[in-house]
Amino acid sequence: MIKNVSGNYARTYAAAQADPAKFWGDIAKGIDWIKPWERVIDDSRKPFYRWFAGGVLNTCYNCVDRHVKNGRADQLAIVYDSPLAQTVRKITYRELQELTAQYGGALRDLGVKKGDTVIIYMPMVPEAIVAMLACARIGAVHSVVFGGFAAPELAKRVVDAKPKAVLSASCGLLPGRAVPYKALLDEALRIAGAEKTPCMILQRKQLKAELIAGRDVDWDEAVAKAKPVDCVPVAATDPLYIIYTSGTTGKPKGVVRDNGGHAVALRWSMEAVYDTHPGDVYWAASDIGWVVGHSYIVYGPLLQGCTTIVYEGKPVGTPDAGAFWRVCQAHGVNALFTAPTAFRAIKKEDPNGELVRKYDMSKFRCLYLAGERSVPDDITYAKKILGVPVVDNWWQTELGWPALSNCMGIEPLPVKPGSATKPVPGFTIEMFDEDGQPKAAGEVGNLVIKLPMPPGTLYTLWHNEKGYEETYLSRYPGYYLSGDAGYFDQDGYGSVMTRIDDIINVAGHRLSTGQMEQILAAHPAVAEGAVVGAADPLKGQVPIGLVVLKSGVKKSEAEICQELVASVRAQIGAVAAFKDVKVVKRLPKTRSGKVLRVTIRTMADGTQIKVPATIEDDTVLPEITAALKALGYPRVGG
């Protein structure tokens, strides 16, 4: 994919390709080790490659304690800015060290020890970040669950992770209201059959929760009486955290990240990809429940010795579309990472960027966009109103850090709006056809990454090696299947276009349409249904449901559709953005009985469709077109 041999980017990429062990061994010197590694790449159990085998370290020490030791004790580590709670709180590295030691002691008092799992189900507050670091401090494995998920989704993660303890809060905050997390947690533990799991609850003044005697402990009281603990040595190959991502069957997949490779890759990515250095102020406007929050609210910035922003608010409405720029001015933000969805919302409210001009953005150097595809208009608008480089980058929950990006800390390359630029050094990316043959420049193919992938990427699924192989490695031996499709142009620039399977991207959140279909099918009036992701100018994609009812149903179609929307919301959460469902007499199918979801999606997007030769009966298509039109589709496209 590298078309020239000159320039820092090309030389760096070539060095990573030529001798990965030397390349990553040199980069690993940027991390403090208790014991050096014995092998940079352990390939003794292919395809289960491991990085820095034999090495010993502690991730919390590298994020916190070493910066105190090396002269950054009084530098801000965390700035918490919450327009929803009307609160700003600042924490230095010295204070963060004291907090993680104390929180680690509280976890010990709950019975948590090295190797145990801990679920963190919390809003965007500093305590959540400290909790993650405290788990790392004592060698526990954390699994953060996005606070917007409903009880059934949380329950699935409890069943799979089998936590020794759960850390949560009385509520999360949305504009104008508090969301009662504790009630959702109690219901999830009941569904999971884990009602006796010890819980530590942070009481927020916006909404207090009733604690269950003998099981729940008050967060502040538990921390106050705990004894501080030191960092526990862990193997580089020991798990740091589990993060769950949607599966096509509706069963979440527990992606596992290690300690050593993760620390090495995340610190280097801050320098190489994001051009961010110790002392800089870095803001990832995401949530800790998602991989962006793990990598670039918590671990990446703190490993690099930066100040990280923890923002509890929205891009618009808290109070207006200038919210991001207020935060940038107030805290001297140098780099911002957010999703294109946020900029679409800002553009809708402030199309000419007038609110940007109200704030001092002189310290702001670069905007990074990821989480979904950035269409050219996203890039153009952002660059116009901000006047700084706008960098698209592509990666996934499984990868943990960018695989395609303009590496600003190595050598900024010319921007091509709509493209995430070129492979990051360490990643060998190709586009394959169905038979595993490389696609020519400009031709869309399945995006694959050659093994071994670089440090920081997943090495298995939680207690599911077979599932890891079947999901990611079996289709193209020797390669990781990303599940995304895209192409490289003649200059080696990569563009990622869509998902191969039925995972849709709603405002940066990966959700399974198959899971939504299961919920629709569970309704007593529904015979069958299909859910597809339709293009949406604000959220990137939104789910559309089409259902066929059983004979003799007495309820009205409108009432059934309302119940279906409510069911998806109750079982997945508002994050699914499921609002559009329509009753149809039949679904388009192949002769073998498979629903033509791609055809439905294409119709919803308003793009040119080619009627499949295998369609059972093409007279169904006008009805589908009418149903989609009644729902307001297409919203973009033709």
Side-chain angles (χ1 to χ4, degrees):
M1 301 305 169
I2 306 305
K3 301 296 182 179
N4 65 314
V5 293
S6 61
N8 289 337
Y9 165 75
R11 287 194 294 270
T12 305
Y13 189 88
Q17 296 288 94
D19 193 344
K22 182 181 187 306
F23 181 81
W24 290 109
D26 289 343
I27 289 172
K29 295 173 184 176
I31 292 297
D32 285 7
W33 297 84
I34 298 170
K35 176 188 173 186
W37 56 89
E38 296 168 3
R39 299 180 67 183
V40 175
I41 307 174
D42 180 359
D43 60 358
S44 60
R45 285 192 66 232
K46 294 179 182 179
F48 298 94
Y49 297 90
R50 303 308 306 274
W51 287 91
F52 306 107
V56 177
L57 78 165
N58 183 278
T59 297
C60 181
Y61 179 89
N62 275 280
C63 286
V64 183
D65 300 63
R66 71 169 177 152
H67 300 310
V68 175
K69 179 182 177 182
N70 295 334
R72 295 191 174 276
D74 296 323
Q75 178 192 310
L76 291 178
I78 296 173
V79 173
Y80 166 60
D81 189 309
S82 174
L84 295 174
Q86 297 183 327
T87 301
V88 173
R89 180 182 172 193
K90 300 180 179 181
I91 301 171
T92 66
Y93 271 100
R94 178 184 285 109
E95 292 167 335
L96 186 57
Q97 183 184 44
E98 293 168 355
L99 287 169
T100 55
Q102 201 79 9
Y103 280 39
L107 286 171
R108 287 267 182 89
D109 292 343
L110 282 178
V112 179
K113 60 185 183 301
K114 179 179 178 180
D116 287 340
T117 55
V118 175
I119 279 184
I120 300 173
Y121 182 66
M122 295 190 70
M124 282 292 291
V125 291
E127 288 84 355
I129 285 78
V130 178
M132 295 168 70
L133 294 167
C135 288
R137 191 174 193 87
I138 66 172
V141 182
H142 66 69
S143 181
V144 181
V145 179
F146 175 64
F149 272 134
E153 283 300 305
L154 175 57
K156 292 177 184 178
R157 288 147 174 81
V158 171
V159 169
D160 196 65
K162 297 178 174 57
K164 191 68 174 284
V166 178
L167 309 183
S168 190
S170 59
C171 68
L173 300 180
L174 290 174
R177 66 188 179 98
V179 181
Y181 280 18
K182 179 59 164 54
L184 293 169
L185 171 60
D186 290 344
E187 176 65 7
L189 293 177
R190 185 195 66 77
I191 294 171
E195 295 96 329
K196 295 183 180 180
T197 306
C199 299
M200 192 160 79
I201 308 298
L202 176 70
Q203 295 280 21
R204 304 189 75 185
K205 65 181 182 181
Q206 291 82 6
L207 181 67
K208 301 289 185 180
E210 288 191 22
L211 303 187
I212 297 175
R215 187 196 77 178
D216 300 339
V217 298
D218 180 274
W219 188 292
D220 292 334
E221 292 177 4
V223 171
K225 70 180 183 181
K227 294 181 179 179
V229 295
D230 291 328
C231 295
V232 172
V234 298
T237 52
D238 282 346
L240 170 66
Y241 70 75
I242 311 162
I243 183 168
Y244 286 92
T245 184
S246 297
T248 55
T249 63
K251 180 181 178 181
K253 303 189 296 286
V255 169
V256 187
R257 204 83 68 205
D258 65 11
N259 275 272
H262 173 262
V264 171
L266 265 291
R267 190 213 63 79
W268 185 72
S269 73
M270 293 297 296
E271 173 187 310
V273 177
Y274 298 109
D275 193 25
T276 304
H277 305 276
D280 282 346
V281 180
Y282 187 88
W283 178 21
S286 182
D287 188 284
I288 58 163
W290 309 117
V291 71
V292 171
H294 282 60
S295 294
Y296 295 113
I297 294 175
V298 185
Y299 290 112
L302 297 178
L303 285 164
Q304 183 70 331
C306 300
T307 299
T308 186
I309 305 293
V310 177
Y311 178 67
E312 188 182 31
K314 302 289 185 180
V316 299
T318 55
D320 56 28
F324 276 13
W325 323 132
R326 176 195 65 79
V327 173
C328 288
Q329 172 184 279
H331 309 301
V333 173
N334 303 123
L336 168 63
F337 182 133
T338 191
T341 301
F343 263 78
R344 292 172 195 147
I346 292 169
K347 181 172 63 174
K348 181 181 178 182
E349 299 293 326
D350 185 22
N352 298 317
E354 295 174 2
L355 291 174
V356 179
R357 294 190 284 273
K358 291 177 57 178
Y359 298 95
D360 180 2
M361 300 287 289
S362 58
K363 294 184 178 179
F364 190 69
R365 300 194 303 256
C366 195
L367 171 70
Y368 297 90
L369 297 175
E372 59 188 308
R373 182 170 180 260
S374 294
V375 298
D377 190 59
D378 298 335
I379 305 291
T380 303
Y381 171 75
K383 185 171 178 57
K384 177 182 176 182
I385 69 169
L386 293 173
V388 299
V390 179
V391 176
D392 185 12
N393 54 123
W394 171 84
W395 46 297
Q396 305 174 308
T397 299
E398 292 88 344
L399 301 182
W401 62 289
L404 279 170
S405 184
N406 202 336
C407 294
M408 300 299 285
I410 298 176
E411 178 191 9
L413 299 175
V415 171
K416 292 187 180 184
S419 169
T421 314
K422 295 189 177 185
V424 173
F427 288 93
T428 302
I429 300 176
E430 298 188 49
M431 305 293 179
F432 280 176
D433 65 16
E434 296 300 309
D435 297 321
Q437 297 302 309
K439 301 287 282 188
E443 294 183 354
V444 174
N446 295 340
L447 191 155
V448 299
I449 303 172
K450 189 175 182 180
L451 301 178
M453 292 195 292
T457 55
L458 87 166
Y459 62 89
T460 191
L461 297 178
W462 184 248
H463 293 165
N464 190 7
E465 281 195 349
K466 182 179 179 182
Y468 172 58
E469 287 192 274
E470 290 178 348
T471 302
Y472 301 104
L473 309 181
S474 61
R475 185 165 180 178
Y476 302 112
Y479 288 84
Y480 162 87
L481 176 65
S482 72
D484 281 331
Y487 66 91
F488 283 105
D489 69 11
Q490 295 289 349
D491 298 318
Y493 276 61
S495 294
V496 180
M497 307 301 294
T498 187
R499 292 292 298 166
I500 297 169
D501 53 24
D502 70 344
I503 300 297
I504 64 172
N505 200 320
V506 181
H509 308 324
R510 290 183 61 202
L511 301 167
S512 170
T513 56
Q515 183 179 2
M516 296 181 207
E517 288 182 4
Q518 289 181 17
I519 295 170
L520 300 188
H523 191 286
V526 173
E528 62 177 337
V531 177
V532 301
D536 181 84
L538 182 62
K539 295 181 179 291
Q541 284 182 297
V542 291
I544 299 174
L546 299 177
V547 295
V548 177
L549 301 183
K550 296 175 181 177
S551 299
V553 173
K554 302 298 183 182
K555 285 185 178 180
S556 70
E557 292 182 4
E559 187 177 5
I560 292 169
C561 289
Q562 289 176 355
E563 291 174 355
L564 292 172
V565 170
S567 293
V568 173
R569 186 181 184 90
Q571 295 188 51
I572 297 179
V575 67
F578 186 82
K579 300 176 182 178
D580 296 328
V581 60
K582 187 74 173 173
V583 174
V584 294
K585 293 180 180 178
R586 51 190 176 144
L587 296 170
K589 297 181 179 181
T590 65
R591 295 186 184 94
S592 62
K594 293 181 180 179
V595 176
L596 292 166
R597 292 177 179 82
V598 173
T599 300
I600 298 172
R601 185 177 70 237
T602 304
M603 295 168 71
D605 290 347
T607 53
Q608 185 71 35
I609 69 165
K610 180 180 179 182
V611 179
T614 56
I615 192 169
E616 183 181 42
D617 182 1
D618 62 4
T619 62
V620 70
L621 298 181
E623 184 189 1
I624 301 301
T625 300
L628 294 171
K629 186 176 181 180
L631 291 170
Y633 294 91
R635 292 178 177 176
V636 297

